[in-house]
Amino acid sequence: MNTAPADFDAMVGQRIRVAREEATLTQRMLADELRFNDRQTLAQIESGARKVTAEELRALVTVLKKPFDYFTDPYLIVGEKLFNWRAANAAEAAAAENSARPLISCYKRCRDMLDEPTYPFTQVLNIAGHSPYTAAADLGDRVASFWNLGATPAAALPQIVENQLHVLVLYMNLAGDVSGGACRLIEFSTVIVNRGHPKCRRSFTLAHELFHLLTWDAMTPESREPSEYTFGAKASQIERFADNFAAGVLMPRYSLEPRWKAFKGGDIHDWLNNTAAEYEVSATALFWRLVNSKLMSQRQAEKVDRNRLGERGALPRDEASKPKLYSKTFAEKLHKAIDRGFISVRKAAELLQCNIEDIVTLFESYEMEALIDL
Amino acid sequence: MDPGEEALIAYACRHPGAWVICSPDKAAVRACFILGFLDRVVALEDLTESSGIAVDLRSNYTRNWLANFRTDLLLGL
């Protein structure tokens, strides 16, 4: 799909419908406001079957109280319940979303313009809302096994998520206590991870948000949840499912059980901290995984002083120790779209909220031709 | 394109007089192609030479760069 007129009309029509529904207007009510002879005229506009005129668009701006480019800018993502954020507060979640939206819309637009084959399916996890939390962990176990993620799944997970599920994984610089989030569009899904966080948080965020994407319709997450789950604290049912799933994926039983059984003595806290580092999870997450999977007995668990467990892991020392910005998939798509003239460098810089030199740096970090001669 | 590029091309394509346009950006050149005036896109290198000005230009401003992309557009690439 590129900028064919029919696609543009369909996009405008869809935007009108979304804005109308946000304003809680029926088609009849809006048609009356616009002084249409009948409701069918509006229905045809919303379906893209009829082009909206300039005068009608002016009226829609006034009636629906949206700016003109809300209806016409192909780089906007519109719609409700598209995002879920793991953030300490609503303001930080909103700031993160303001950064992520143009990035995701840029990727979407590049995909559309390049008109390459795209994955047409949406994957779903088979779990019911009434299942016990252990079912989510077992599912995570099976996912790790099915995908052959190996003894330490965290390392392989991002690439597998992109290649097998065609979910875009974006590593972003997010301010405040924002672990990351997920965005579910009809066309594709995205996981956003804060690249400034320690490995253990990054891996857990990826696995946790993956659960949300794979269960979005059946268990729609809230738009914001706490930035990290302190195990044992009160959390919603959906978040506890997501955390159990993440624990199962990152610490699958086939890997964890033999390691636990091989622990014959020594300081349990050292073992938990060191093993957690290998799994790229927090020691607390590892502790609860052992308890919930019944590998660690109640008696053993009571001997663990949780204050001696490393919670957060080490922050990345410098730029080089963080994951590369965004992802190779994102960079490649953007690179191709600029090289073929489907998006200008300045427009890309505007969407990525950076300058042209940063675009060059992004491409060079992925060993791609700079495209711009600075 | 960014708003500046859009505005320039919108102005140019409504301008009644004879004009040529330069851009080092492929998206702007593609827009000119779609709008039907690819032949009015010239490389800055050509303009500076015809003006007798010797300037060291970055690759995106050269006639080779423009010629290569113009060929891609005409071939539907």
Side-chain angles (χ1 to χ4, degrees), chain A residues 92-346:
Chain A
E92 289 180 353
E97 191 161 318
N98 283 342
S99 298
R101 273 184 182 260
L103 216 62
I104 294 170
S105 75
C106 176
Y107 178 77
K108 177 179 177 302
R109 188 75 181 139
C110 290
R111 264 175 43 129
D112 292 345
M113 296 302 292
L114 289 167
D115 205 17
E116 292 169 337
T118 52
Y119 189 68
F121 304 105
T122 300
Q123 302 282 20
V124 172
L125 265 179
N126 295 322
I127 185 164
H130 58 262
S131 304
Y133 297 125
T134 48
D138 291 343
L139 207 46
D141 241 343
R142 296 206 327 254
V143 164
S145 185
F146 182 79
W147 277 340
N148 215 8
L149 293 180
T152 49
L157 189 62
Q159 201 60 54
I160 290 282
V161 164
E162 283 209 332
N163 293 346
Q164 300 289 336
L165 296 179
H166 301 268
V167 169
L168 179 67
V169 179
L170 287 180
Y171 290 95
M172 292 180 63
N173 295 316
L174 298 174
D177 190 8
V178 181
S179 297
C183 174
R184 176 90 177 303
L185 301 180
I186 289 174
E187 299 88 347
F188 64 92
S189 295
T190 306
V191 172
I192 302 127
V193 180
N194 191 337
R195 64 192 288 266
H197 275 186
K199 270 188 187 178
C200 61
R201 283 186 77 175
R202 294 198 306 256
S203 302
F204 210 87
T205 293
L206 173 59
H208 177 107
E209 293 301 323
L210 181 63
F211 178 86
H212 286 319
L213 288 174
L214 297 174
T215 58
W216 199 278
D217 292 329
M219 299 189 208
T220 307
E222 295 295 324
S223 58
R224 187 184 70 81
E225 56 181 282
S227 62
E228 53 184 331
Y229 176 41
T230 51
F231 289 82
K234 285 186 182 173
S236 72
Q237 182 197 44
I238 294 176
E239 297 314 315
R240 293 185 72 171
F241 270 131
D243 280 328
N244 275 276
F245 173 80
V249 169
L250 295 172
M251 296 170 279
R253 203 174 176 106
Y254 64 74
S255 167
L256 185 58
E257 189 165 356
R259 283 196 195 206
W260 173 244
K261 285 183 174 169
F263 173 63
K264 297 295 182 199
D267 189 278
I268 181 65
H269 307 92
D270 289 342
W271 185 89
L272 284 168
N273 287 324
N274 293 335
T275 306
E278 288 171 21
Y279 278 119
E280 293 185 26
V281 298
S282 70
T284 302
L286 173 59
F287 167 76
W288 282 111
R289 174 67 172 139
L290 288 164
V291 168
N292 292 335
S293 61
K294 311 266 190 265
L295 288 172
M296 183 183 276
S297 69
Q298 189 64 27
R299 186 192 257 184
Q300 289 169 316
E302 285 165 2
K303 291 182 182 171
V304 173
D305 178 1
R306 303 225 304 266
N307 293 322
R308 291 181 58 191
L309 300 182
E311 278 276 335
R312 291 170 166 255
L315 290 171
R317 286 185 314 277
D318 49 29
E319 187 64 21
S321 55
K322 296 177 185 177
K324 291 182 186 177
L325 189 58
Y326 310 139
S327 70
K328 189 173 178 200
T329 303
F330 178 88
E332 281 178 344
K333 202 65 74 177
L334 181 64
H335 189 272
K336 208 169 188 179
I338 290 176
D339 192 37
R340 291 186 55 193
F342 288 119
I343 182 172
S344 77
V345 173
R346 288 188 194 284

Side-chain angles (χ1 to χ4, degrees), chain A residues 24-49:
Chain A
T24 62
L25 296 172
T26 63
Q27 280 187 337
R28 164 55 63 197
M29 290 159 79
L30 182 55
D32 287 346
E33 288 278 351
L34 297 172
R35 307 220 168 105
F36 287 162
N37 288 336
D38 49 50
R39 182 193 64 80
Q40 278 76 16
T41 304
L42 179 60
Q44 286 182 325
I45 290 173
E46 288 189 358
S47 69

Side-chain angles (χ1 to χ4, degrees), chain A residues 3 75 113 338-347 350 371-374, chain B residues 1-3 5 25-28 30 34 57-60 69 73 76-77:
Chain A
T3 47
Y75 288 96
M113 296 302 292
I338 290 176
D339 192 37
R340 291 186 55 193
F342 288 119
I343 182 172
S344 77
V345 173
R346 288 188 194 284
K347 183 65 180 179
E350 177 194 317
L371 291 183
I372 309 124
D373 194 354
L374 291 172
Chain B
M1 294 179 291
D2 84 347
E5 291 158 340
D25 196 294
K26 286 182 177 179
R30 182 181 278 278
I34 291 169
L57 295 170
R58 297 182 224 148
S59 59
N60 304 49
F69 189 55
L73 288 171
L77 298 177

